[in-house]
Amino acid sequence: MQKVEHTKRCGVEICCGSFADALSAEKGGAQRIELNAALPLGGLTPSVASLKLVKERTSLKVICMARPRAAGFTYSDDEFYQMKDEVQELLSAGADGIAFGILVPDATIDLSRSRMLSDIIHEAGATAVFHRAFDLTPQPFDAIEALIEIVHADRVLTSGQRPTALAGAPLIAQLQKNYAAHIEILPASGIKPENVTQLIRETGVTQVHASCKGAAEDPTARSPFVSFAYRGGSEACYHEKVMTSHVSELIQSVSEV
């Protein structure tokens, strides 16, 4: 197992669903974001236009999601062709890295397709990130070794195969201890200012991924007869967005560890 050259680390990565989110993240002190579309679906490939705006109007490092659809990570040939083309377009538009994850039906990593994307990303001088599809793999240590030795991923995003990173801290700590010299470990899910210090101390990680979301109202989400809301009940006319204050609080908490 060989050591790899990592890109410069930054302590906090903010998950963004739009150009507006990116502006809020930078205002709060973030240096790197993961740019998506459709975050309520878990994050899909963002538009090239949104990436260009972020690169033109901020100094952020931008990792772009490459995910052609929601609900799973085993893709047809047509979906993979789309995915590959979108990766190339995002890299050409200035993406600093791409987050992707491809599995075969038994939930192990699709090594050939993942290596293909990793090679494309590295040829562009960008960072290859395997996202939380990793959290579905049945043997996480086999999976991370494959990411290192075969896929040549630079970073893996994980909640430690649990609903939140704090719940998955024991596995994250093992991954950090055993593999951090070969691949960056980036914890995600449920990370907040009030628990990030505990997570870092329990796992030894040097960076975290968080959403820092709050609710914003849009009264046009529904009428008495038609609804385009994705939240229910009294929150039906609200959507999520990155809150500058939440980003600032998280970064302050990280700096105190």
Side-chain angles (χ1 to χ4, degrees), residues 223-243:
S223 77
F225 310 104
V226 178
S227 176
F228 292 94
Y230 65 84
R231 302 173 72 153
S234 62
E235 298 183 335
C237 287
Y238 288 82
H239 63 278
E240 294 174 327
K241 67 176 186 177
V242 171
M243 306 298 285

Side-chain angles (χ1 to χ4, degrees), residues 93-105:
D96 298 287
I98 302 292
F100 66 92
I102 310 176
L103 306 177
V104 294

Side-chain angles (χ1 to χ4, degrees), residues 164 166 189-200 250 253:
T164 67
L166 203 58
S189 186
I191 297 175
K192 301 175 182 179
E194 56 265 32
N195 63 25
V196 69
T197 299
Q198 179 184 352
L199 177 70
I200 293 171
L250 184 72
S253 295

